[in-house]
Amino acid sequence: MKLNENPFFILGVSIRDSKQVIDEKADDRCFDEPEREEIFEKAKGILLNPQQRLQAELGWFPDVQPQEEQRLLAAATKQQAVFMASVNKLAAMNQKLIGLLGKPRLANEIVFLDTAYREMDMAQLLAWVNRSRSVSGFPAVQGVEPIEAVWHEVRNNIREQLQEAVDNMAASQYTQTALEVAQAVLRKKGKYGGIIQDFMDGYRLSVEQQLEDLKKHTMQLLDQVLANPSRSNVQAACEAMDKGGRLARPLAVMSVAEGKNDFCYIGPVYNKLFDDVCMNLFKQKDEYGVVIILFEKLLAIAGDIPYAVKNLNETLQVVRETKAEYDAASAKAQQAANKPAPAKAQQAANKPARPANPRSRMSRSEDSSRDVPASSSSDDSGCGGCLLLLLLPAIGGAIAGPIGAAAGFILAIKLADN
């Protein structure tokens, strides 16, 4: 039962009104709007039945002053948000449901409703309802058991009204609201209740298929980058990661808040980049820049996962330092290549070479080979040989789950002198 379906709202009566007033008001509404007679008669029947009435009371504003209730009723009729700090917690929770439609973001309202619903005291609810019934002349509710039996329906009412508000949102606003709710849960160190659970479950269902499709598309684009790391291929992969990362980020934050490792989309993309794309591109010295771009994009979409951020920052630092050293060595080698040779060296180069003694040449080669480090290579240029050490984490390391072993990769680069 949503707020605009509440019998008190339909008939425009107060929670303090007697049976006689309710009956008269229903007759007036039937006379004014005969086409809605069935709706008015049903609302009257609910309010005149002490047992059925309880759900309507918990979804309305019990134990508030008449003028406050009139203001809340007027606001509900116009669907305009209203705030009155003087009302009790139940009335405050229900007033939050007024004017939800059209709000660009609902994170504060959702967090408030979740906290109020979770912390509501059943004995206090009983007292508020019975004080209103003592004025209207309806029999008091006996004990908290009837309150507890109906309270779960209030949660359903809130879920329905939040879903209606979400359906009227732009997709980007829905994603941003889900992110803000998840961040609020993270600040509360994972403490939340059924209202937030319902909202985040709804968000997950709404993006699940889209994230699965984006994951497949992103994997294909990353394979293209690996085959041909051109600017257009890298840009297409980054754009796909942006889109998937935005949709998956609220779920990643919730996973962190709950202490889980369920990182849909972000986890598989993270592993793909670490295990496959960047590890292979890193072996190509002229593709260090592409590796940096991809890791920076990965850092942007995994920025809410602490262990991923730590590994990425460490890896990025190593790659950037390696690129800087490689660029410096390449520039130095280029300068040397462009520098004119000294006159004596030029004369020596122009002088005909004498045939060398084969035995002595072999001897010099054997002697010199003992002084060359095993990691050096005559084919290396610039900064010299580049040794890439990939240290895989043990199973059950610091990062488990979908992020898996890839998150524990540590890059270590040793630059060998010529």
Side-chain angles (χ1 to χ4, degrees):
M1 182 191 300
K2 294 184 289 189
L3 194 68
N4 59 3
E5 297 171 349
N6 192 299
F8 289 108
F9 177 85
I10 291 172
L11 295 178
V13 296
S14 168
I15 202 169
R16 296 164 173 259
D17 285 341
S18 65
K19 292 182 180 180
Q20 182 180 351
V21 173
I22 293 171
D23 195 51
E24 291 174 353
K25 189 70 173 180
D27 288 344
D28 291 342
R29 298 302 300 270
C30 289
F31 181 80
D32 294 336
E33 301 178 69
E35 71 278 5
R36 300 183 64 199
E37 181 177 353
E38 186 178 346
I39 296 174
F40 297 137
E41 287 295 331
K42 182 179 179 181
K44 182 180 77 170
I46 292 173
L47 294 185
L48 294 182
N49 184 306
Q51 287 74 37
Q52 294 181 8
R53 177 187 174 94
L54 182 57
Q55 184 179 345
E57 289 170 320
L58 293 178
W60 200 241
F61 311 107
D63 199 34
V64 300
Q65 296 301 314
Q67 63 272 21
E68 292 175 331
E69 187 181 3
Q70 286 303 312
R71 279 188 61 195
L72 290 166
L73 176 60
T77 303
K78 298 176 183 178
Q79 277 296 302
Q80 294 177 344
V82 64
F83 175 75
M84 286 187 288
S86 59
V87 298
N88 60 59
K89 186 179 285 187
L90 177 61
M93 187 180 79
N94 288 331
Q95 79 174 344
K96 281 287 184 182
L97 297 172
I98 300 174
L100 290 181
L101 296 180
K103 281 195 172 184
R105 293 180 188 172
L106 298 173
N108 291 337
E109 285 78 5
I110 292 169
V111 172
F112 178 88
L113 289 168
D114 182 79
T115 303
Y117 182 88
R118 177 165 44 89
E119 296 179 352
M120 196 69 71
D121 182 84
M122 297 296 106
Q124 187 64 70
L125 282 177
L126 179 65
W128 290 331
V129 169
N130 281 339
R131 276 201 287 267
S132 293
R133 288 194 173 199
S134 68
V135 176
S136 63
F138 284 88
V141 179
Q142 301 300 314
V144 298
E145 289 79 10
I147 300 284
E148 292 172 342
V150 174
W151 190 237
H152 74 279
E153 288 298 330
V154 174
R155 173 176 170 176
N156 293 338
N157 297 343
I158 294 172
R159 182 179 65 246
E160 289 176 9
Q161 292 183 82
L162 287 175
Q163 187 59 52
E164 184 179 6
V166 162
D167 290 342
N168 285 272
M169 277 183 175
S172 59
Q173 293 173 338
Y174 186 17
T175 299
Q176 183 61 34
T177 298
L179 176 61
E180 291 172 0
V181 169
Q183 289 171 333
V185 173
L186 184 60
R187 288 193 296 271
K188 290 173 175 285
K189 298 181 179 179
K191 191 175 182 181
Y192 67 96
I195 305 301
I196 286 180
Q197 184 68 62
D198 291 344
F199 178 79
M200 294 305 299
D201 284 348
Y203 178 77
R204 180 184 292 274
L205 286 173
S206 72
V207 300
E208 200 168 41
Q209 186 57 53
Q210 193 176 358
L211 280 174
E212 183 63 26
D213 294 341
L214 277 170
K215 182 184 76 173
K216 293 177 182 176
H217 180 57
T218 304
M219 295 301 186
Q220 292 172 354
L221 292 174
L222 289 175
D223 283 335
Q224 292 177 18
V225 169
L226 185 57
N228 177 20
S230 66
R231 179 179 297 180
S232 59
N233 283 348
V234 172
Q235 183 177 353
C238 287
E239 288 174 356
M241 290 165 64
D242 263 335
K243 188 173 182 180
R246 279 195 302 271
L247 286 179
R249 191 180 174 198
L251 302 177
V253 175
M254 277 298 290
S255 185
V256 172
E258 294 170 334
K260 299 177 181 178
N261 287 315
D262 182 19
F263 304 119
C264 62
Y265 181 83
I266 294 177
V269 171
Y270 187 105
N271 290 340
K272 175 74 172 178
L273 276 173
F274 252 107
D275 290 351
D276 194 0
V277 181
C278 289
M279 294 300 100
N280 283 288
L281 288 178
F282 194 88
K283 298 172 185 177
Q284 307 173 40
K285 299 184 181 71
D286 54 345
E287 301 299 350
Y288 290 159
V290 173
V291 174
I292 291 173
I293 291 172
L294 292 173
F295 272 142
E296 285 177 341
K297 182 57 62 179
L298 184 57
L299 182 61
I301 71 170
D304 299 292
I305 308 171
Y307 5 91
V309 171
K310 180 177 182 293
N311 283 324
L312 283 168
N313 279 327
E314 290 176 353
T315 303
L316 268 169
Q317 182 180 353
V318 172
V319 177
R320 286 172 180 146
E321 289 174 354
T322 304
K323 183 179 185 302
E325 292 176 6
Y326 173 72
D327 289 347
S330 297
K332 186 177 179 181
Q334 187 63 41
Q335 277 185 340
N338 295 336
K339 188 176 181 181
K344 288 186 178 179
Q346 188 64 40
Q347 291 175 2
N350 295 334
K351 187 176 180 181
R354 290 184 300 172
N357 186 313
R359 183 177 296 276
S360 64
R361 183 171 58 193
M362 184 181 296
S363 176
R364 285 197 301 272
S365 176
E366 290 171 352
D367 290 343
S368 62
S369 67
R370 286 191 287 270
D371 299 326
V372 178
S375 61
S376 295
S377 171
S378 60
D379 293 334
D380 289 337
S381 61
C383 64
C386 205
L387 177 63
L388 177 65
L389 302 178
L390 303 178
L391 303 181
L392 289 152
I395 295 176
I399 304 172
I403 291 296
F409 273 113
I410 301 172
L411 291 177
I413 297 88
K414 178 180 178 182
L415 300 174
D417 294 332
N418 286 330

